[in-house]
Every structure is written in structure tokens, then in C-alpha cells.
Amino acid sequence: MRPFICARNTCMEPEFQGVIRAAALDLDGTIIGPDERVTSAVKDAIVRLSARIPVFIATGREPQDVFEYARQLGLAGPQLSDGGAAILDPVERRHIWSANLGPELASEVLTLIGELEARFVATHVEGTFRRVSDIPDWDIVRISALDMSRENAEALTVRFSDHPRMSVILASLPYNGLWAVDFTVKGVDKGSGIARMGEMLGVEPSEMACVGDSYNDLPMLRACGLPIAMGGAPEEIRAAASLSAPPVEADGLAYAIDRYILPRVTAQH
């Protein structure tokens, strides 16, 4: 991570070439903390930013959560859920686009999760399901094995790391301190998600600011033009960012928006 450039005892923020035309914001650990609430400082900053440029949530959470937080923040444009596997219309509360696992991959993952006796959530265009018997069909967008120890989650990630048709990403669960493993179609992650969002918005990833704090944020931090890591993020995440912000408990996202993003926003919006 290079939060500042220093030469001859003078420090300055790294220079960003160009303007920021959109912003992708992680949810857990960035917009919200463990209490799952948006503070007034963070909400105010997001509202001011979204009045200038498109702002979208980019999260591993399921659509219902994205709809609710988009409503709280007044975000009416497309939003990114399921670790990049779905783009949502928060006003009509529907999927605009999704990349489904399909029957074979979904069955493979759910069979293994059943053998491990782990909890899971499967997202589908018709809703979110936690029991196989409730899933209407196998057109599942994403499956997450939940509430695992870090050791078990890492072992599961390694087991599928070379799978030719699936992307597998480790994710922390800040609301209970445990871990999850997210399964999506190969090549689908937050990095590919912001690229697809950019196609809809007419914005290149290099013209986006991205803010995140966890392992599933790595692809978008590496893809966007202005990557910002939240305080308290693991070293690997901070190393992928150009700038750092205070932690979520100190309204770090509001700081990042006011200090780093808004000064670099184009006046064209």
C-alpha cells in the first residue's frame, strides 16, 4: 500500500491521472460496521457523492440486503450483489443481469456443503434460500458456505481453487467474526462486476474509485483506477490499494469520499 508518496521530507497523496466518474463501495466493513447500520456521516457523504457521479454498492451479500441499503442511501441506479454475479435495479427490486452457476456446478457445491454439515445461502432470481428443498430450480446465481472457522474456510477455498469452471473467494463475516466461502461462475467476481457495471454506465474501471476491506474486494481494487482500503483491512488488501482510510468504526468511508474521491470527481455529472 502506498498511502502517501514521500520525497525530501515532503509527503503528498499519489497523483491520480484523470477524473473519477463512478464509485464502487463495499458494504460490510466499508459502508456498515458490525452493527449493520449506516452512520449519518457516511450517509451524508454518499448522498453528496451520488449527486455528482453514479455510486453503487459492490457486495457479496444477497439482493435483499442491497435493496434495503440502496433505499436507505437513496441510490436508484444499478447496484452490484453476490460478489459480482448479479446487477440489480433497486427501484423495481429486480435483477438486471446475472451469471448463474447452472445445475451441475450448483449440485456439486451443495452436495459438498451438505457433507460438511455447513450452513449456506443460495441466491436465485426468485429469492434467497437456505434449504435445498426450498430452491425452485438450479438456476442459482451464487452459493455461500457460511459461519465457518477461518481454518475450515481456507481449506474449502484451497480445495476448489483450481476448479476450471468456478470462482471461489474467501470472505470474512464481520457481524459474527466467522468466515464464508463464495462460489460463482469462473471469471465472475467484483472485478468483472465493476467492468460490467462500467459498460452500463459508460465508464471505464480506470475511471472508478473503489473502496473495500476484505478478500473479495481484491479483484475490484486491482481493476479500478483509484483503489482505497479501509483501515483495519488485512495486509494483502491494503497492499492492493493506493490509498488508505480510517476504519469503519471511525467513519472511514466518509473520510475517503471527502478526502480522496470528491476532489477527483469530474464536473460533468
Side-chain angles (χ1 to χ4, degrees):
M1 179 183 60
R2 304 180 308 280
F4 297 99
I5 297 173
C6 299
R8 297 182 181 179
N9 298 319
T10 299
C11 295
M12 64 187 73
E13 295 173 16
E15 182 179 358
F16 175 77
Q17 301 298 325
V19 293
I20 293 299
R21 299 182 57 214
L25 309 177
D26 171 49
L27 188 56
D28 288 289
T30 302
I31 295 176
I32 59 173
D35 63 0
E36 301 191 326
R37 295 181 179 179
V38 183
T39 67
S40 58
V42 168
K43 180 177 180 178
D44 290 347
I46 292 174
V47 168
R48 284 186 280 108
L49 182 62
S50 63
R52 301 280 301 280
I53 59 173
V55 174
F56 58 92
I57 296 168
T59 181
R61 285 208 188 195
E62 52 266 29
Q64 291 91 326
D65 292 329
V66 176
F67 293 146
E68 174 56 26
Y69 286 107
R71 182 193 65 78
Q72 291 184 32
L73 296 166
L75 300 177
Q79 307 292 307
L80 191 65
S81 74
D82 295 290
I87 297 176
L88 312 171
D89 179 338
V91 176
E92 297 188 6
R93 298 176 68 89
R94 66 179 180 86
H95 283 68
I96 298 173
W97 169 89
S98 63
N100 297 341
L101 281 165
E104 182 181 342
L105 296 181
S107 178
E108 180 180 353
V109 173
L110 289 174
T111 297
L112 176 59
I113 290 175
E115 293 172 355
L116 296 174
E117 297 184 346
R119 293 181 63 247
F120 76 90
V121 59
T123 58
H124 186 282
V125 294
E126 295 186 15
T128 299
F129 302 94
R130 291 174 170 80
R131 295 188 303 180
V132 173
S133 59
D134 292 337
I135 300 173
D137 57 53
W138 289 102
D139 286 331
I140 295 170
V141 176
R142 172 185 58 94
I143 298 171
S144 291
L146 299 175
D147 299 342
M148 307 181 75
S149 68
R150 179 160 186 168
E151 179 181 8
N152 289 342
E154 288 178 341
L156 185 58
T157 303
V158 170
R159 179 168 179 173
F160 281 88
S161 61
D162 294 327
H163 198 288
R165 296 166 57 199
M166 278 193 292
S167 289
V168 184
I169 294 181
L170 186 70
S172 60
L173 300 173
Y175 51 86
N176 63 10
L178 296 175
W179 292 78
V181 179
D182 294 337
F183 298 85
T184 57
V185 173
K186 190 75 172 180
V188 171
D189 53 36
K190 287 191 183 184
S192 66
I194 68 166
R196 187 171 289 273
M197 286 287 294
E199 291 175 1
M200 291 185 176
L201 299 171
V203 177
E204 295 292 331
S206 61
E207 299 172 306
M208 294 184 187
C210 299
V211 190
D213 76 306
S214 194
Y215 294 101
N216 63 350
D217 295 313
L218 275 173
M220 77 171 183
L221 291 173
R222 290 168 174 160
C224 73
L226 187 66
I228 304 167
M230 293 291 289
E235 174 58 31
E236 188 175 359
I237 283 74
R238 290 185 285 122
S242 296
L243 296 165
S244 61
V248 67
E249 294 82 1
D251 291 332
L253 178 58
Y255 178 95
I257 289 172
D258 288 332
R259 176 72 178 270
Y260 302 141
I261 303 177
L262 275 170
R264 296 171 166 91
V265 167
T266 174
Q268 296 177 0
H269 289 270

